[in-house]
Amino acid sequence: MELYFGDTYWDKTVSKEDDIKFEKIKKNEKTEILIVGGGMSGTLAAYILSNRNHKVIIVEKDQVAKGSSTANTGLLQFCSDIMLSDLIEQIGEKKAVLFYEMCLKSMDDLTAINDKLAYQTDYRSKSSIYYSSNIGDKNKLEKEYKTLKKYNFPVEYISNDELIKDYNLDKAFAIKTFRDADVNPYKFIKALTRENKKNGVKYFENTQVNLDSMASNQIYTKEGYKIEFKNIILATGYTNIYPIIKDKAQINRTYAISSKPFKKLPWKEDVMFWETKNPYLYFRTTTDKRIIAGGLDEEINKLEKNIEDLKEKTEKIAKEINDLFDGLNLEVENRWNALFGISTDNLPFIGADPIHKNKYYLLGYEGNGTCYSMAGSRIIADLIENKKNPYSHIVRLDR
């Protein structure tokens, strides 16, 4: 299943000489933990597990980091696509606050992990500006500010005057959250992969397993090689909607751009931006002063491959940003569209299969995929080690 189409940006930031590749599987293998999928989720899970001294194999049907991660816009935030105030109404106060605490802890974990990596990932700790798209959204954003403040999340009130003065943004109201980050997801996965190799993780690219052949402790590749395992983690992203989540999930389409570099950006502080309307516009900068942006999500589960239609959609994103900032003149250099998964209750799918207890799912559905992958890696590691995890019941598949 193709996950993106167009001219992506992140894969162009790593030279062929600096890239890292692996052979496909050529014989039967045996391991403690088999991870299916070499994207952000599988890579983070391998990092956590190998650092806890588990023996891990990753199999990737294509190349590591070449799936959804290439199309990822690299905004890392603890706030979810569903506001905390709305999530409280949906699943109750205790669970909702715990979920947001899980995300904030995951952001701190991502930052701490990045600080230990030997290779450059363009990871930068950031703040986010969440602004009301129109005057009608001011009240619900003010409610969200009060809710986040009540539960001691790192948030600040930004008035219209401050928005204009500091960010050149004329919107009625915004909140500013802290301890977020942005990253080059392609470089981040590659840097983690190098660390995983040092920790003994074995990788096989261009190796597709036959999920229908899965038994309690073994699975076969497309070519017929057998991999034996004690535990298996399915970190396959949006390539497969498994039967256990088929009534709770769907695949949608989104669009993204990267701009030509700017000499100077029109806001005082290098923050990330997103807004209250749905679908929402979101954007950030890169280390070389490009703007990466996304939006115009659609309930369509196939890629847009008509170049003119792709250009029309992505130029709308550019126009929205240009309309926000006088004299910006954003010019698109790269444009693409991608598929992504959402869930009916706005939460990811993480945890053990209800029947096969040694089969785990790490599916970071919804907008905070990298944050959820980080949280899920720790949740699954705890479950494998029979340790109590305070968040596992919120995201389990049979919730």
Side-chain angles (χ1 to χ4, degrees):
M1 180 182 182
E2 289 183 274
L3 295 172
Y4 63 89
F5 175 82
D7 182 26
T8 51
Y9 171 67
W10 302 119
D11 48 328
K12 296 178 175 62
T13 63
V14 176
S15 68
K16 290 182 179 180
E17 294 75 22
D18 291 334
D19 212 340
I20 181 170
K21 292 186 174 147
F22 302 95
E23 294 184 348
K24 66 190 303 182
I25 200 166
K26 294 179 179 177
K27 62 181 180 67
N28 294 343
E29 295 285 345
K30 188 174 183 179
T31 188
E32 180 195 354
I33 299 168
L34 174 64
I35 298 176
V36 182
M40 187 67 78
S41 297
T43 304
L44 279 167
Y47 180 86
I48 296 299
L49 288 161
S50 62
N51 273 281
R52 293 192 188 186
N53 298 315
H54 292 282
K55 184 180 178 184
V56 179
I57 285 178
I58 287 185
V59 292
E60 166 56 48
K61 67 184 180 63
D62 294 313
Q63 289 179 288
V64 169
K66 282 292 183 76
S68 297
S69 305
T70 302
N72 185 335
T73 48
L75 289 84
L76 312 180
Q77 298 169 304
F78 77 83
C79 285
S80 174
D81 281 1
I82 181 170
M83 289 182 176
L84 176 57
S85 50
D86 291 336
L87 191 60
I88 287 172
E89 293 178 11
Q90 178 181 296
I91 64 174
E93 179 182 38
K94 186 176 181 180
K95 282 186 179 179
V97 173
L98 263 178
F99 180 75
Y100 260 62
E101 286 176 356
M102 177 192 84
C103 294
L104 183 60
K105 182 180 186 310
S106 295
M107 283 306 311
D108 292 343
D109 284 347
L110 286 166
T111 301
I113 286 171
N114 181 77
D115 289 345
K116 296 176 184 175
L117 296 177
Y119 288 84
Q120 177 58 248
T121 66
D122 298 341
Y123 188 103
R124 302 177 295 179
S125 294
K126 288 289 188 72
S127 302
S128 297
I129 300 295
Y130 188 22
Y131 64 87
S132 54
S133 306
N134 50 62
I135 194 68
D137 284 347
K138 184 174 184 284
N139 288 341
K140 72 175 184 179
L141 194 55
E142 285 180 331
K143 180 183 177 183
E144 180 67 359
Y145 166 73
K146 290 175 183 176
T147 305
L148 289 168
K149 197 74 176 173
K150 176 182 177 181
Y151 297 104
N152 298 313
F153 289 101
V155 64
E156 186 178 277
Y157 180 106
I158 306 290
S159 68
N160 171 257
D161 288 344
E162 290 173 296
L163 278 173
I164 293 172
K165 179 183 173 214
D166 294 338
Y167 304 103
N168 196 26
L169 183 64
D170 189 6
K171 292 294 179 181
F173 176 73
I175 61 177
K176 183 178 182 180
T177 54
F178 302 88
R179 287 157 66 182
D180 293 334
D182 63 18
V183 71
N184 179 327
Y186 192 76
K187 285 185 177 181
F188 189 64
I189 293 172
K190 294 291 186 177
L192 282 170
T193 299
R194 287 181 166 89
E195 291 299 315
N196 289 346
K197 274 188 66 184
K198 291 179 188 175
N199 289 337
V201 177
K202 291 176 70 173
Y203 279 82
F204 297 102
E205 290 184 324
N206 301 303
T207 298
Q208 187 166 359
V209 293
N210 180 5
L211 293 173
D212 293 333
S213 75
M214 192 188 312
S216 61
N217 64 349
Q218 64 185 38
I219 195 168
Y220 286 87
T221 69
K222 192 175 179 182
E223 291 78 16
Y225 296 111
K226 180 172 69 174
I227 308 175
E228 295 180 75
F229 55 81
K230 288 184 180 178
N231 298 283
I232 185 169
I233 300 172
L234 301 177
T236 53
Y238 315 129
T239 59
N240 195 354
I241 295 186
Y242 297 96
I244 193 171
I245 63 168
K246 68 180 178 62
D247 297 324
K248 306 175 186 177
Q250 72 180 57
I251 299 297
N252 287 355
R253 181 168 76 194
T254 190
Y255 297 85
I257 61 170
S258 69
S259 74
K260 294 180 180 179
F262 290 87
K263 289 184 178 178
K264 186 179 180 183
L265 292 162
W267 48 83
K268 180 187 78 172
E269 185 185 345
D270 199 356
V271 295
M272 304 185 293
F273 292 90
W274 60 312
E275 62 174 334
T276 54
K277 78 174 182 181
N278 189 26
Y280 59 88
L281 172 72
Y282 54 96
F283 52 101
R284 50 156 292 196
T285 63
T286 62
T287 54
D288 60 347
K289 289 190 169 55
R290 298 173 190 270
I291 289 176
I292 302 282
L296 300 179
D297 298 354
E298 300 170 324
E299 292 186 1
I300 298 173
N301 65 358
K302 62 180 182 179
L303 293 169
E304 177 59 77
K305 293 193 172 183
N306 182 293
I307 300 299
E308 289 305 313
D309 289 345
L310 175 59
K311 183 176 181 180
E312 181 183 347
K313 288 280 188 178
T314 49
E315 286 297 331
K316 283 183 181 178
I317 293 175
K319 184 178 186 305
E320 282 190 48
I321 298 173
N322 280 326
D323 288 346
L324 286 172
F325 303 101
D326 290 337
L328 181 64
N329 193 28
L330 183 156
E331 296 181 76
V332 178
E333 187 163 284
N334 305 90
R335 62 186 87 232
W336 64 94
N337 71 120
L339 301 181
F340 70 101
I342 65 168
S343 62
T344 54
D345 62 0
N346 307 104
L347 302 176
F349 302 105
I350 299 165
D353 187 279
I355 299 172
H356 307 287
K357 299 301 183 182
N358 69 331
K359 179 165 76 172
Y360 299 89
Y361 299 85
L362 180 49
L363 306 172
Y365 281 49
E366 291 296 319
N368 283 19
T370 301
C371 183
Y372 299 157
S373 295
M374 182 69 255
S377 297
R378 293 206 181 278
I379 288 171
I380 291 175
D382 285 346
L383 293 175
I384 287 173
E385 296 174 351
N386 294 311
K387 293 178 180 176
K388 185 175 174 59
N389 185 283
Y391 314 114
S392 59
H393 64 292
I394 304 170
V395 294
R396 69 187 190 203
L397 281 82
D398 58 348
R399 58 183 182 261

